[in-house]
Amino acid sequence: MTNEEFLTEMQDVLQTEEDLSMDTVLDGLDEWDSLSVMATMAFLEKSFGVKTTMKDYKDIKTIGDIAKKAGL
Amino acid sequence: MISFTSEQRFIVTGASSGLGEAAALLLNELGASVIGIARNQERLEAMKATAKYPENVFLEQKDLTENIKGLPAYVKALKEKYGKFQGLAYCAGISQIQPLQFLDYNDLKKIFDINYFAPVLMIKGVADKRCNIGAGTSIVAIASIAAFARDKGHLSYAGSKAALSASLKCISKEVIGRGIRVNCVSPSNIKTPMNTGMEDYEESQKNLYPLGFGETKDVANMIAFLLSDKAKFISGQNYVIDSGGVL
């Protein structure tokens, strides 16, 4: 998955109309709530085979941090 | 009194007949715009022809089971065409009477496709933050009292409706924080085209219907109420409409 494809996928995961970049700060998005964290966890596991826990999200601050978890 | 404006757009599936047609016509009569979806264009046109405000009825011919996984994207495309939605009445569905000994996987899949997978993915589309108006959005799906009853031969239909009503409760918890309400209506036998040819069955069940068999309008009234702001305090519920006697 390219970075661009990843950003498009994340738009759907978060159901956001915002244009996302790797620098987008998650706390700055209205859509970033506990459900979005759950959706992101499911996305990482389904698309990249990467399991994350709620604890991991304390250190995840940007879209780029999620991409790093995905191995991009 | 319940009333809507033409700026309030509702998707109604199964809109060409039965409960869907009754819901589409009632919502339109109450002032809302309706995007009516069904497989049969001719019957959709016939529904529109009887609408009080046909200029606020928009028709979309589609078989919801043709590409189920594409339904969220389909809703998004409808949003681009019509604007954000106030809600959804998912009324499409099929019934099937087959005992276990005559049932195979394809029968089960067929009924779960239209009665479970399609509504859940249509709801996913409408609940998408980009496709609805936000707080005040309301979603209603038709389940059935079959989910509670224990009738022989109804295992696939009952299973699909029980699964739907259970999932709707979970969905309501997920979206309530955004002011989106999700409810279920579970009718008993209603006089609809889906139930034609079941006169013998109805006759045998007559004593269970002290108020008589339901009309489509009886269910449409509940749908309209739940979609309206008169029900703004109600979500995650499953309303049984059963002539006061089946359950």
Side-chain angles (χ1 to χ4, degrees), chain B residues 108-154:
Chain B
L108 276 171
K109 189 177 173 306
K110 189 178 170 198
I111 206 157
F112 268 75
D113 274 353
I114 189 69
N115 287 1
Y116 180 75
F117 296 119
V120 169
L121 288 167
M122 282 296 289
I123 291 169
K124 178 180 176 180
V126 173
D128 187 315
K129 292 160 193 160
R130 297 163 291 185
C131 292
N132 62 64
I133 57 141
T137 303
S138 179
I139 292 166
V140 175
I142 300 297
S144 167
I145 59 152
F148 306 101
R150 280 167 277 184
D151 286 340
K152 290 174 189 171
H154 285 252

Side-chain angles (χ1 to χ4, degrees), chain B residues 102-238:
Chain B
F102 191 67
L103 188 80
D104 65 24
Y105 170 68
N106 286 334
D107 298 325
L108 276 171
K109 189 177 173 306
K110 189 178 170 198
I111 206 157
F112 268 75
D113 274 353
I114 189 69
N115 287 1
Y116 180 75
F117 296 119
V120 169
L121 288 167
M122 282 296 289
I123 291 169
K124 178 180 176 180
V126 173
D128 187 315
K129 292 160 193 160
R130 297 163 291 185
C131 292
N132 62 64
I133 57 141
T137 303
S138 179
I139 292 166
V140 175
I142 300 297
S144 167
I145 59 152
F148 306 101
R150 280 167 277 184
D151 286 340
K152 290 174 189 171
H154 285 252
L155 71 103
S156 53
Y157 181 69
S160 67
K161 295 299 193 179
L164 179 61
S165 55
S167 290
L168 287 190
K169 283 185 184 283
C170 299
I171 293 169
S172 78
K173 290 282 181 197
E174 291 194 11
V175 300
I176 192 72
R178 291 190 273 129
I180 300 176
R181 298 182 296 102
V182 181
N183 290 288
C184 210
V185 176
S186 289
S188 57
N189 257 349
I190 299 290
K191 288 174 187 161
T192 68
M194 190 176 91
N195 289 333
T196 50
M198 292 175 65
E199 289 76 13
D200 290 348
Y201 174 76
E202 286 188 1
E203 190 56 39
S204 72
Q205 301 284 303
K206 217 170 177 178
N207 62 331
L208 295 174
Y209 290 80
L211 299 174
F213 286 108
E215 307 281 348
T216 54
K217 188 84 184 269
D218 297 324
V219 181
N221 281 328
M222 181 57 109
I223 295 171
F225 167 69
L226 290 171
L227 291 177
S228 78
D229 64 1
K230 301 284 182 207
K232 66 184 171 63
F233 204 50
I234 301 171
S235 191
Q237 301 306 306
N238 182 4

Side-chain angles (χ1 to χ4, degrees), chain B residues 17-135:
Chain B
S17 67
L19 299 180
E21 179 183 23
L25 291 173
L26 180 59
L27 290 169
N28 173 259
E29 187 185 324
L30 296 171
S33 286
V34 170
I35 292 87
I37 301 172
R39 286 172 298 179
N40 189 313
Q41 182 69 24
E42 233 170 84
R43 290 214 308 256
L44 276 173
E45 300 281 0
M47 179 275 286
K48 182 172 178 169
T50 59
K52 187 168 183 190
Y53 305 108
E55 68 277 16
N56 294 335
V57 176
F58 305 91
L59 307 179
E60 293 288 337
Q61 183 186 20
K62 186 173 177 66
D63 179 348
L64 295 172
T65 63
E66 227 169 51
N67 175 16
I68 294 176
K69 65 181 175 185
L71 288 176
Y74 171 64
V75 174
K76 213 169 163 188
L78 290 178
K79 190 271 288 184
E80 299 301 329
K81 189 170 173 183
Y82 297 106
K84 291 191 172 184
F85 296 109
Q86 182 85 26
L88 164 72
Y90 190 94
C91 306
I94 55 170
S95 172
Q96 178 175 261
I97 297 180
Q98 279 190 6
L100 185 61
Q101 66 191 63
F102 191 67
L103 188 80
D104 65 24
Y105 170 68
N106 286 334
D107 298 325
L108 276 171
K109 189 177 173 306
K110 189 178 170 198
I111 206 157
F112 268 75
D113 274 353
I114 189 69
N115 287 1
Y116 180 75
F117 296 119
V120 169
L121 288 167
M122 282 296 289
I123 291 169
K124 178 180 176 180
V126 173
D128 187 315
K129 292 160 193 160
R130 297 163 291 185
C131 292
N132 62 64
I133 57 141

Side-chain angles (χ1 to χ4, degrees), chain A residues 6-25:
Chain A
F6 177 80
L7 293 173
T8 308
E9 290 280 338
M10 278 308 298
Q11 243 181 343
D12 279 340
V13 171
L14 302 179
Q15 296 185 349
T16 181
E17 283 168 321
E18 302 280 332
D19 285 328
L20 299 178
S21 75
M22 290 299 182
D23 297 326
T24 302
V25 176

